[in-house]
Amino acid sequence: MNTELFGIIAMFTLTIAFAIPFGKYIAKVYAGEKTSFDPVFNPIEKLFFKISGIDVKAEMNWKQHMFSLITINMVWFVLGMFVLMNQGWLPLNPDGNPGQTADLAFNTSISFVVNCNLQHYSGESGLSYLSQLFLMFLHFVTAGTGMAAAAVLFMALRERTTDKLGNFYHFLVKSCLRILLPLAIIVAIILAFNGTPMTFEGKDMIVNMQGDTVQVSRGPVAAFVAIKHLGTNGGGFYGANSAHPLENPNYLTNTVEMIAQLIIPFAMIFAFGFFLKRRKMSWMIFGVMTIGFLLLTVPTIIWENGGNHAITAMGIDNSAGAMEGKEVRFGTTASAFWSIATTVISTGSVNSMHDSYTPLSGMTQLLAMMTNAFYGGVGVGMLNFFVFIILAVFISGLMVGRTPELMGKKIEAREMKIAMIVALLHPFLILVGTALAAAFPTITSATLANPGFHGFTEMLYEYTSSSANNGSGFEGLGDNNPWWNITTGFVLILSRYIPIIGPIAIAGLLANKKFIPESAGTLKTDSSTFGIMVLAVIVIITALSFFPALTLGPIAEYFTLR
Amino acid sequence: MKTNLFPAIKLTSITLVFFAGVYTIIIWGIAQLAPNHGNGEVVMQNGKKYYANVGQTFTEDKYFNSRPSAVDYNAAGSGGSNKAPSNPEYLATVQARIDTFLVHNPEVKKQDIPVELITASGSGLDPDISPNAALVQLKRVSKNRNISNEKLQKLIEENTEAPLLGLLGPAKVNVLKLNMALDGLKN
């Protein structure tokens, strides 16, 4: 038991220890300062921009940034549809897997372009190796997209009065090449040396010790799994994701994969402080996020170690906890820790099956995605949190009777309207989606794997995961059919681009405003008092929006099990 | 639109070649230096090849049994049962597994059955059980194979993998390796 607890403490503290210097490196990269890796990356970067005919010195305003972002994302989507629907005859398909149907390809392509990685297929039978490698490309560039957007936010908050905020393509390539790639190589090598396959050969056939013939699916897994975590993408190579013993062979790889998914969301917060020279503010943000994270993690670990009461009642030794859907090599503690880490940041990779968690743990996983503000996905986590900061600044301003200001810029009606739209979009998409699914039981009830309240939670989870850009699932849901493929597809589009465009628009508007020097009357946005204010705003919005839905799902299920 | 579209297509092409191609080849090349050359950890016995990390079905009494699996340990696919803790059908299955276990292991008391032996794993390919889950099967295997309890106990101890660095994570027993060692005892 104690070794299990030490395991997760080690994961968390190691991540912070790595993330602080790495955040400094990220800040240097975006600021265009010299780093020791320049001799390797400068020539590659130059080549990229020479071939694509892009002048990185041409700075963009926030609107031009967003147009570039949307355009290149559309190119990836169209290419994704083509590869996924035609993978049957395209090369690198040793297992002869067929092309995806149009609705599945639509969902898969969108889902990977928006960095969500909802998967309505299983990798072993649903994708060729070519498609896997294309999705791996999307792992890099979509993570880079979110990080580039965060870089624009950093620029906008640093500049005194300007509309020139750097070049989008430059931020994108820097993020992929200088930040993601070096870490991906390290992680992939560790995985390959611990038994994760990295081969282009197809399925192997073996006769097991009891004489049955079974197959073993292989592929270029190590390279894929490394970037799936670093980019907080989460889409697994195999159907079972990181619960699969080839994606995640032992406790060491589990630790490495956990650090890999947490490190950039952590480092981005510190990068924010280094870049803006507001290190106290980044500690305030990190503190609020960590409190939120622990409030969700600690009870989940306790509930999972407590096990399923219905099984305890059968009179067996239930001391290992709720082991349904979990792996022995990770144990319940590291599984429960992972389940909250993966849902607060938008990875959505799993090392255990969330559908089989005890009811209240299912609720904390949902809450992690519903708040969508603690750490968050690479880049976009900062954007989401920025919206809550704006709301908290505004409410605090009203409470003390002053014009709300953030970093020397006035927050006015236009910024507030945008922040409100972004904050309310998330509950709107989740609740309307779930309500629609519940309103058409003739279509959806056959797709549920479990009866009663838990069935409702499966639907709620699917839309929450889509809207939070997460991609994990209550995987019992039979989601490969037009209803789920298409409805979640649209939720994915709205919930990705509006929460990027909104905060960037606010930041762009703020950058253009006159700078007012701080005075004694200025609200201190880096104090712990303000941190509590932000946390309160997050909790109130989440509680008011989602409590009724949670009552119908996990809370009701909990009371049936007591 | 035009100002963005062509640069976007060209940048996509070159980054696609780099991140899907060059990166993959680098990792593939380095993986060739790893044990088993990037094919996963393979173990051999009596000319038969097994994947050490991929669990196998062990249901016979002469072997230490592995956990229940939602995919019958066929690694052509993977996945958990995804059953809710409150699902009555699922709870009936668990009860049936307990009853079956007690029939095969009459000397074991119900309160000593570790939970992982009656619940399915997340991947359906879990290669491990806890040391307790191996010990609870000791008497059955001992009777079936006519091997002394002490000898089997030693075998389990030898095949118990300690936590990482002795500090992090749970201890575990790889069922495949344990059963290979068990078959090796006869020779």
Side-chain angles (χ1 to χ4, degrees):
Chain A
M1 178 60 225
N2 276 336
T3 54
E4 292 193 40
L5 208 53
F6 287 147
I8 59 166
I9 293 170
M11 291 176 207
F12 191 72
T13 45
L14 279 175
T15 310
I16 298 177
F18 291 136
I20 295 173
F22 198 64
K24 198 166 194 173
Y25 171 74
I26 292 176
K28 273 188 179 172
V29 167
Y30 289 141
E33 290 167 27
K34 274 208 173 87
T35 70
S36 32
F37 300 104
D38 286 350
V40 188
F41 295 132
N42 281 350
I44 303 176
E45 198 177 281
K46 218 173 253 172
L47 181 74
F48 281 10
F49 290 123
K50 202 176 158 200
I51 291 175
S52 38
I54 291 169
D55 174 18
V56 293
K57 292 208 177 66
E59 295 206 48
M60 301 176 174
N61 63 28
W62 73 267
K63 280 184 190 157
Q64 290 166 323
H65 270 288
M66 292 299 100
F67 278 123
S68 319
L69 186 151
I70 302 283
T71 310
I72 200 163
N73 274 237
M74 272 166 50
V75 171
W76 298 336
F77 168 71
V78 173
L79 197 56
M81 283 291 284
F82 174 79
V83 172
L84 293 168
M85 289 183 73
N86 294 289
Q87 62 182 5
W89 59 268
L90 286 168
L92 286 179
N93 187 9
D95 296 331
N97 291 335
Q100 292 194 345
T101 57
D103 58 309
L104 180 59
F106 166 78
N107 186 281
T108 309
S109 190
I110 285 185
S111 171
F112 279 77
V113 167
V114 304
N115 195 262
C116 177
N117 298 197
L118 208 59
Q119 296 172 291
H120 290 177
Y121 60 88
S122 277
E124 293 96 332
S125 53
L127 289 182
S128 70
Y129 291 169
L130 183 79
S131 297
Q132 296 274 23
L133 291 180
F134 180 75
L135 295 184
M136 188 178 76
F137 158 73
L138 290 181
H139 280 344
F140 274 101
V141 291
T142 62
T145 301
M147 294 167 74
V152 178
L153 176 82
F154 290 4
M155 288 290 282
L157 293 178
R158 189 178 69 174
E159 299 305 326
R160 286 290 160 92
T161 304
T162 183
D163 59 354
K164 297 274 181 256
L165 303 172
N167 182 290
F168 173 75
Y169 301 111
H170 203 189
F171 286 143
L172 174 66
V173 168
K174 275 177 172 178
S175 310
C176 299
L177 188 65
R178 291 167 190 258
I179 299 172
L180 293 168
L181 182 72
L183 291 183
I185 291 175
I186 297 170
V187 173
I189 291 172
I190 297 176
L191 290 175
F193 275 79
N194 277 279
T196 299
M198 187 64 206
T199 171
F200 289 94
E201 287 176 53
K203 289 191 172 77
D204 198 3
M205 197 174 281
I206 62 164
V207 180
N208 70 17
M209 281 182 77
Q210 289 197 154
D212 309 320
T213 305
V214 294
Q215 288 182 311
V216 177
S217 186
R218 297 180 292 182
V221 189
F224 187 96
V225 174
I227 185 61
K228 127 186 163 186
H229 284 114
L230 285 163
T232 65
N233 301 280
F237 195 94
Y238 298 116
N241 209 301
S242 278
H244 197 294
L246 293 178
E247 275 202 41
N248 196 355
N250 55 43
Y251 204 81
L252 174 69
T253 58
N254 189 63
T255 306
V256 170
E257 288 177 23
M258 175 49 67
I259 295 173
Q261 59 183 308
L262 286 173
I263 186 166
I264 295 179
F266 280 22
M268 284 305 268
I269 305 166
F270 297 118
F272 176 88
F274 288 118
F275 191 90
L276 296 172
K277 304 204 167 49
R278 286 178 185 273
R279 293 178 59 181
K280 204 178 159 205
M281 177 113 178
S282 66
W283 279 107
M284 183 282 286
I285 297 174
F286 186 76
V288 171
M289 290 177 167
T290 303
I291 291 170
F293 173 67
L294 292 178
L295 282 176
L296 295 167
T297 306
V298 174
T300 309
I301 292 171
I302 293 170
W303 288 325
E304 289 311 293
N305 279 322
N308 180 351
H309 298 315
I311 291 182
T312 311
M314 293 175 191
I316 57 128
D317 172 13
N318 207 10
S319 58
M323 283 303 287
E324 182 71 36
K326 296 195 184 66
E327 305 281 304
V328 168
R329 64 191 178 283
F330 310 138
T332 38
T333 306
S335 300
F337 179 79
W338 180 303
S339 83
I340 298 300
T342 194
T343 43
V344 289
I345 55 175
S346 74
T347 319
S349 71
V350 294
N351 74 352
S352 54
M353 294 301 142
H354 291 187
D355 214 346
S356 298
Y357 271 66
T358 58
L360 292 181
S361 301
M363 181 180 73
T364 45
Q365 291 159 1
L366 280 164
L367 277 171
M369 297 185 284
M370 287 165 170
T371 49
N372 207 15
F374 305 136
Y375 307 132
V378 289
V380 291
M382 286 301 292
L383 299 184
N384 288 334
F385 199 80
F386 180 64
V387 170
F388 287 110
I389 290 181
I390 296 280
L391 293 177
V393 164
F394 183 74
I395 293 169
S396 317
L398 288 183
M399 284 165 76
V400 294
R402 277 177 205 283
T403 320
E405 280 169 27
L406 177 69
M407 298 181 186
K409 303 291 174 77
K410 273 191 186 143
I411 311 255
E412 289 167 304
R414 213 164 147 203
E415 291 85 47
M416 276 312 298
K417 279 182 199 155
I418 300 171
M420 283 316 298
I421 291 170
V422 175
L424 292 179
L425 176 80
H426 187 53
F428 177 83
L429 290 175
I430 294 171
L431 298 174
V432 171
T434 312
L436 276 177
F440 293 103
T442 44
I443 304 171
T444 52
S445 68
T447 65
L448 304 179
N450 291 288
F453 303 117
H454 195 89
F456 176 79
T457 315
E458 286 180 343
M459 300 193 289
L460 180 64
Y461 196 102
E462 187 71 4
Y463 286 109
T464 308
S465 174
S466 308
S467 182
N469 215 268
N470 187 270
S472 66
F474 269 21
E475 288 300 339
L477 185 73
D479 45 19
N480 181 16
N481 51 55
W483 172 273
W484 291 110
N485 283 336
I486 294 167
T487 58
T488 55
F490 283 104
V491 171
L492 288 167
I493 296 174
L494 293 171
S495 65
R496 168 73 167 180
Y497 295 107
I498 293 175
I500 286 183
I501 296 170
I504 294 297
I506 297 174
L509 292 170
L510 290 183
N512 240 328
K513 289 187 186 185
K514 215 172 84 208
F515 181 79
I516 311 154
E518 280 187 29
S519 67
T522 309
L523 176 76
K524 293 258 182 296
T525 48
D526 54 7
S527 65
S528 50
T529 319
F530 184 71
I532 293 167
M533 194 67 203
V534 180
L535 189 61
V537 169
I538 295 170
V539 170
I540 290 167
I541 290 183
T542 313
L544 291 181
S545 311
F546 295 111
F547 186 69
L550 291 171
T551 315
L552 289 175
I555 296 177
E557 189 190 0
Y558 170 74
F559 283 108
T560 60
L561 265 181
R562 277 181 66 86
Chain B
M1 196 65 194
K2 216 176 85 188
T3 51
N4 284 322
L5 189 59
F6 291 112
I9 291 173
K10 284 188 271 185
L11 186 62
T12 302
S13 315
I14 177 71
T15 45
L16 183 62
V17 169
F18 188 81
F19 289 111
V22 177
Y23 164 69
T24 313
I25 290 166
I26 292 173
I27 303 301
W28 180 83
I30 297 171
Q32 300 311 304
L33 307 173
N36 301 303
H37 315 293
N39 280 317
E41 194 187 336
V42 175
V43 285
M44 305 285 294
Q45 190 181 38
N46 304 331
K48 278 167 83 180
K49 173 176 116 175
Y50 310 118
Y51 284 85
N53 291 322
V54 179
Q56 294 192 3
T57 308
F58 286 106
T59 45
E60 292 171 10
D61 281 350
K62 62 175 181 173
Y63 286 123
F64 286 96
N65 291 357
S66 45
R67 299 180 64 189
S69 161
V71 297
D72 290 327
Y73 286 100
N74 186 350
S78 58
S81 70
N82 291 310
K83 293 299 180 201
S86 61
N87 188 333
E89 210 180 296
Y90 160 69
L91 292 171
T93 311
V94 172
Q95 185 62 56
R97 286 177 189 150
I98 297 173
D99 298 339
T100 313
F101 189 89
L102 289 172
V103 169
H104 286 262
N105 302 272
E107 49 290 279
V108 173
K109 286 199 207 85
K110 191 159 89 173
Q111 65 263 32
D112 293 330
I113 306 175
V115 62
E116 78 258 28
L117 285 179
I118 51 150
T119 50
S121 64
S123 61
L125 306 169
D126 195 342
D128 304 305
I129 53 177
S130 68
N132 267 343
L135 288 170
V136 82
Q137 305 183 44
L138 187 146
K139 285 195 179 131
R140 184 195 73 228
V141 177
S142 149
K143 213 167 18 170
N144 193 288
R145 295 206 176 218
N146 261 329
I147 303 175
S148 72
N149 283 351
E150 293 71 35
K151 213 167 173 184
L152 280 182
Q153 184 135 17
K154 206 169 146 250
L155 196 72
I156 292 173
E157 274 163 26
E158 282 165 7
N159 281 281
T160 299
E161 296 167 42
L164 180 63
L165 308 172
L167 273 178
L168 313 175
K172 61 193 196 312
V173 178
N174 183 308
V175 189
L176 173 65
K177 287 181 181 167
L178 177 63
N179 283 327
M180 284 171 67
L182 190 61
D183 272 358
L185 277 183
K186 276 189 292 188
N187 311 327

